[in-house]
Amino acid sequence: MIRTATPDDVPVIHEMVRELAEYEKALHEANATEGQLREALFGERPAAFAHIAETDAGEVAGFALWFLNFSTWRGVHGIYLEDLYVRPQLRGGGHGKALLTELARICVERGYERLEWSVLNWNEPSIRFYESLGAKPQDEWTVYRLTDGALATLGS
């Protein structure tokens, strides 16, 4: 049901990234191209990794795209889950849990001590799902982001 993504999966990953962006009401912000995803996942120095969830019939049900982070407090890497997505018509079939289980397995196998991600405050179905797995919200932290003009101004 879960497998490591291959370069042949890039078009369907790109398609699902756009589906996720639409679900999150931010399709206008999803500007990544298939070429950028291919380079990030399978280029000379991959910056991210992906896993694919499939149905028993071999249909792509969803994906997890992640990268390594590092905790100075724990002194080891962890996984930051950038995107977890299961197509709406295939939700409830265990694909999301299987993807998270695979990432947790990788953490345990490699000695990583954290698996982290963000969820939109209004996404109650996902919040309930994550909490059912034992995940805890880190509500004492606020995410900050620099993009576009503010990033260019600060960086020049």
Side-chain angles (χ1 to χ4, degrees):
M1 177 186 279
I2 304 301
R3 63 177 175 78
T4 302
T6 69
D8 290 340
D9 292 313
V10 169
V12 73
I13 292 171
H14 183 256
E15 185 178 301
M16 290 188 290
V17 165
R18 297 195 48 82
E19 290 172 19
L20 175 60
E22 185 171 23
Y23 173 76
E24 292 183 348
K25 301 172 179 68
L27 183 57
H28 62 283
E29 295 179 33
N31 299 320
T33 66
E34 285 185 27
Q36 288 172 313
L37 287 174
R38 185 176 312 282
E39 182 64 26
L41 293 168
F42 304 106
E44 189 175 314
R45 286 185 277 163
F49 308 92
H51 284 79
I52 299 292
E54 291 183 336
T55 66
D56 291 338
E59 176 185 1
V60 174
F63 78 107
L65 193 143
W66 57 278
F67 54 88
L68 294 179
N69 59 14
F70 184 81
S71 170
T72 56
W73 290 12
R74 295 197 174 223
V76 296
H77 282 292
I79 287 178
Y80 186 83
L81 176 61
E82 179 66 20
D83 287 332
L84 175 69
Y85 180 73
V86 175
R87 290 187 150 149
Q89 68 273 21
L90 297 170
R91 290 181 186 154
H95 304 292
K97 182 176 181 180
L99 285 162
L100 284 170
T101 298
E102 176 61 9
L103 297 186
R105 185 197 66 74
I106 291 169
C107 286
V108 170
E109 177 183 273
R110 297 181 186 178
Y112 302 162
E113 295 188 12
R114 289 182 179 167
L115 171 56
E116 296 181 315
W117 62 91
S118 297
V119 61
L120 290 165
N121 293 332
W122 57 259
N123 193 345
E124 286 296 326
S126 293
I127 291 168
R128 283 193 306 275
F129 167 64
Y130 298 143
E131 289 179 350
S132 77
L133 300 176
K136 304 285 185 227
Q138 301 298 298
D139 55 10
E140 68 271 14
W141 295 90
T142 300
V143 176
Y144 281 82
R145 179 178 294 158
L146 279 171
T147 61
D148 304 322
L151 178 63
T153 298
L154 184 61
S156 43

